[in-house]
Amino acid sequence: MTALIWVLVVAIVVLAAFVAAGLVLGFRALRRIQSSRSTEEQTREQAKAKVDDANAKAASVRAEAAAAKAEASAARAEAKRVLESAHEEADTVLEHAHRQAESDAEQVRSAARRSGEREVALLNTTVKEQAAEVERRAARIDERERLHAEEVERLVDRERRLAKRDAELADRETKLAEKEIQNEEAGQQHKKELERVANLTAEQARTELVEAIESQAKREAAILVRDIEGEAKSTADTRARHIVVDAIQRIASEQTAESVVSVLHLPSDEMKGRIIGREGRNIRAFESTTGVNLIIDDTPEAVLLSCFDPVRREVGRLTLEKLVLDGRIHPHRIEEVFESAKNEVDKLCERAAEEALVDVGITDLHPELVTLVGRLRYRTSYGQNVLKHLVETAHIAGIMAAELGLDVATMKRSAFLHDIGKALTHEVEGSHALIGADLARKYGESDDVVHAIEAHHNEVQPQTIEAVLTQAADACSGGRPGARRESLEAYVKRLERIEEIAGGKVGVEKVFAMQAGREIRVMVRPDDVDDIGAAVLARDVAKQIEEELTYPGQIRVTVVRESRVTELAR
C-alpha cells in the first residue's frame, strides 16, 4: 500500500512540473507579445500559430492534469479500501486476542481450582493423620491408666500381705518372748538340777551350759545358711524371670517395619515424563540436590526412592511429593522445594524427640542430644524403629529398676540413650556403643550413664547394675515377638536347616526349633546315646550350625536324654 501512494505522489509531481513549464512558456510568450507589440501586425500570423501551439500544449497539460487527478482519486479510493480492510483485520485480531485472553484466564482459573483442590486434599490428609495420632495417643493414655490401676491394685495387695506378715511377726515375737521366759525358767531349773546332781558350782554349770548352747547355735546356723542358699538358688531364676516378664508385659509399644526404599504413588503415568524432564535434566537435578537415587521403572503410577540415610531419603520423598502436587518441576523449583522439605523434616524430628522425652520422663537432656534423638525417628534396626526401641527399652529398664529398688531416673536415662550413637554411624567410624558413650560424655552425662551405653554390647565389660539392666532391657525390646523382622522365606529355610542338621545325627529321635530359632532341643534315644555322647552331640550340632548358617544373636543347643524305668505292682 505504501508503494502505490509513492507512485501517485511522483505522478502528481511530474504533472505539476509539466503545468509549471507550460505556464512559464505562456508567460514568456506573452512577454514577447508585449515587447514586440509594434511588430504584432507583422508577426500576427506567426504569433497566432505560436498561441495555437501554446493552447494545444496547455490543453494537453490540462488533460494530463485531469488524468493525474483521476489517478489520485483512484489512489485515494484504493487507500480508503486498504484502510477499511486494515480496520477489519485489526478488529478480527482484537477479537481473536479477546478470545485467547478468555481462554488463558479460564486455564489459569482451572489451574488455581486444581491447586486449591490439591491443597484441600493435603489438608484433609493432614487432619486425618492428626486425628489418627490423637486416637493413638488416647489409646496409649487409656493403656497407661489401666496399667496404673493394675499397679495400684498390686500395691494394695502387697500392703495387705505386708500387714498380714506384720501381724504374724508380732504374734511370733509374742510367742518367742513366752518361749524365752519358759527357757529361762527351764534354765534355772536345769541349773539347780545340775548343781544338785553333779555337785557343780554355778560358774561351772554356766560354762557347761554356754558351751552346749554355742554348739547348738552353730549347728542351727549352719542348717539355716544351707536352707537359705538352697532357697536362693531355687528362686533366683524364677524371680528374675518374673521381673523381666512383668516388665515386658507392661510395655505395649507399636512396632513398625521400614526399609531403605520409599515408594511414592503418582496421580498418573504421565507425571513420570515430567519428573524425568527434557533429556533427563529434572531427574539429574533432583538426585544431585537431594542425594537420593530416583528409580523410575514399569511400575504403574509409582516411583522408588533409594538412599542408605533414612533422614535424607525422607527429605527426598517429601520434596518429590510436593513437586508432584504442585505440578511445576524444573531444577530451580526442585532446589526451592528441597529446602522447604528439609526444614519440615527437621521440625518433625525435633517434635518426635520431644514427644519421646516426655513419654520417658526426661526433661534435662542437652539440646544437641535432643537433635540426635530426633534423627533416630527415621532410623531402623532389623526393621525396628530405633526411637521407639529406645522408648520401650527405657520403660522396661525403669520397671525392672523399680522392682529391684534402684534409681529409676538414672536407669531410664541409661536405657534411653544406649543407642544414641546410631544417629552418627553413617558419619563416624566405629561401634555405635562407643560413639554413643563419647557423645554422652561430651554433653555432660554421668559416669554411670556413659558406662551403661559403652557396655551394652560388651565392647566394655559391664561393671555396674545399670549396665547389666540396660543390656537386659535392650535384649527384651529387640527379642520380643514382632519387634524385628526378617524375610519369612529365609526364616523358614533357616529353621528347616537347623532341624535337618540335628536330625541327621546318630541316635536322634526328635528335634524341635524353639523361640523363633534361638534354641534347638534335640531328643535322643537313651539306649543309643550316653551322657558323654550327648555332650559330644550338642557340640557337633552347634559347630555345624555356626559353619553353615547366618543368623542374628546366638542359638542354644540342648540335648535331652531321658531314661525311664516302669514296673507294675500286682
Side-chain angles (χ1 to χ4, degrees), residues 291-494:
V292 177
N293 293 327
L294 189 59
I295 304 172
I296 301 179
D297 53 14
D298 296 335
T299 305
E301 299 181 356
V303 294
L304 301 178
L305 297 96
S306 176
C307 180
F308 70 92
D309 189 342
V311 177
R312 194 189 307 167
R313 186 176 71 250
E314 179 63 18
V315 173
R317 187 196 67 79
L318 196 58
T319 301
L320 186 58
E321 182 179 359
K322 289 187 174 183
L323 289 171
V324 170
L325 289 176
D326 184 38
R328 295 176 294 168
I329 304 177
H330 51 81
H332 182 66
R333 181 63 178 165
I334 290 173
E335 293 178 358
E336 293 178 354
V337 177
F338 171 72
E339 293 298 329
S340 173
K342 187 176 180 182
N343 294 332
E344 186 172 345
V345 170
D346 291 341
K347 291 180 181 178
L348 290 175
C349 292
E350 183 178 355
R351 189 184 310 161
E354 292 174 355
E355 291 178 356
L357 291 173
V358 171
D359 192 7
V360 175
I362 298 176
T363 57
D364 55 345
L365 196 64
H366 194 280
E368 293 296 330
L369 291 180
V370 174
T371 302
L372 294 175
V373 168
R375 294 178 63 180
L376 295 176
R377 180 178 188 267
Y378 298 104
R379 177 69 192 265
T380 61
S381 177
Y382 294 99
Q384 185 181 26
N385 185 278
V386 176
L387 183 56
K388 293 182 179 179
H389 166 64
L390 293 183
V391 174
E392 183 180 11
T393 304
H395 284 308
I396 293 175
I399 293 171
M400 290 194 292
E403 290 287 339
L404 297 174
L406 303 176
D407 185 0
V408 176
T410 303
M411 195 64 252
K412 279 190 173 184
R413 199 178 191 92
S414 301
F416 184 75
L417 295 175
H418 79 278
D419 274 346
I420 190 67
K422 287 186 177 180
L424 293 179
T425 50
H426 294 310
E427 305 165 12
V428 181
E429 300 245 345
S431 167
H432 73 273
L434 300 179
I435 295 172
D438 292 338
L439 287 172
R441 190 180 295 109
K442 177 181 177 182
Y443 294 116
E445 294 296 329
S446 65
D447 293 338
D448 290 337
V449 175
V450 172
H451 177 65
I453 295 173
E454 67 185 0
H456 79 275
H457 279 323
N458 289 320
E459 279 89 355
V460 176
Q461 288 300 319
Q463 303 293 332
T464 62
I465 186 64
E466 287 82 4
V468 176
L469 282 185
T470 300
Q471 286 183 338
D474 183 26
C476 291
S477 176
R480 72 182 335 186
R484 298 183 176 182
R485 65 176 178 83
E486 60 180 344
S487 171
L488 178 60
E489 183 179 358
Y491 169 75
V492 174
K493 287 184 178 180
R494 189 176 77 232

Side-chain angles (χ1 to χ4, degrees), residues 53-289:
D53 187 20
N55 290 332
K57 289 182 179 179
S60 176
V61 169
R62 284 194 296 273
E64 290 179 357
K69 289 181 180 180
E71 290 181 358
S73 299
R76 283 194 296 272
E78 181 66 21
K80 184 177 181 181
R81 187 185 62 80
V82 171
L83 184 60
E84 291 176 354
S85 176
H87 280 301
E88 292 177 356
E89 186 176 357
D91 292 338
T92 304
V93 171
L94 186 60
E95 184 180 358
H96 179 69
H98 280 302
R99 288 197 299 270
Q100 184 65 27
E102 291 178 356
S103 176
D104 294 341
E106 183 62 28
Q107 290 180 358
V108 170
R109 285 195 294 271
S110 300
R113 190 182 301 109
R114 289 194 298 271
S115 178
E117 291 175 353
R118 285 194 296 269
E119 291 294 334
V120 170
L122 181 60
L123 290 175
N124 290 334
T125 303
T126 304
V127 169
K128 290 180 180 178
E129 291 178 354
Q130 291 178 352
E133 181 65 21
V134 170
E135 291 180 357
R136 287 195 294 271
R137 290 186 178 180
R140 288 199 295 268
I141 291 172
D142 293 340
E143 181 65 19
R144 289 179 185 173
E145 290 179 352
R146 186 183 64 81
L147 294 176
H148 287 319
E150 292 179 356
E151 180 68 14
V152 169
E153 292 179 359
R154 193 167 65 84
L155 291 175
V156 170
D157 185 45
R158 180 181 292 180
E159 289 178 357
R160 287 198 298 267
R161 290 198 303 269
L162 290 175
K164 184 178 179 181
R165 289 183 180 179
D166 290 340
E168 292 177 354
L169 288 175
D171 187 24
R172 184 177 297 179
E173 288 178 357
T174 302
K175 293 180 179 179
L176 287 175
E178 294 177 354
K179 286 184 178 180
E180 287 178 359
I181 295 173
Q182 293 176 2
N183 289 334
E184 186 176 356
E185 293 177 353
Q188 293 293 335
Q189 293 177 0
H190 183 63
K191 179 179 177 181
K192 293 178 181 179
E193 185 66 21
L194 286 176
E195 290 178 354
R196 185 184 65 80
V197 173
N199 293 323
L200 296 175
T201 63
E203 186 66 28
Q204 292 174 344
R206 184 180 297 109
T207 302
E208 184 178 350
L209 180 61
V210 168
E211 290 177 355
I213 293 174
E214 183 179 358
S215 176
Q216 183 178 1
K218 287 182 178 180
R219 183 173 180 278
E220 290 179 354
I223 295 173
L224 182 60
V225 169
R226 185 189 63 189
D227 294 340
I228 291 174
E229 288 179 352
E231 184 179 359
K233 290 180 180 179
S234 62
T235 60
D237 292 338
T238 304
R239 178 64 175 162
R241 246 186 239 109
H242 172 73
I243 293 174
V244 172
V245 171
D246 184 50
I248 292 176
Q249 287 178 346
R250 289 170 59 186
I251 300 298
S253 61
E254 298 177 357
Q255 301 293 343
T256 59
E258 302 175 7
S259 63
V260 296
V261 177
S262 297
V263 180
L264 179 66
H265 295 282
L266 304 177
S268 64
D269 284 335
E270 296 177 357
M271 188 60 68
K272 291 183 179 180
R274 299 177 65 182
I275 293 174
I276 295 172
R278 182 179 298 175
E279 298 179 355
R281 66 171 187 172
N282 289 346
I283 191 171
R284 287 196 299 272
F286 180 85
E287 291 182 347
S288 63
T289 301

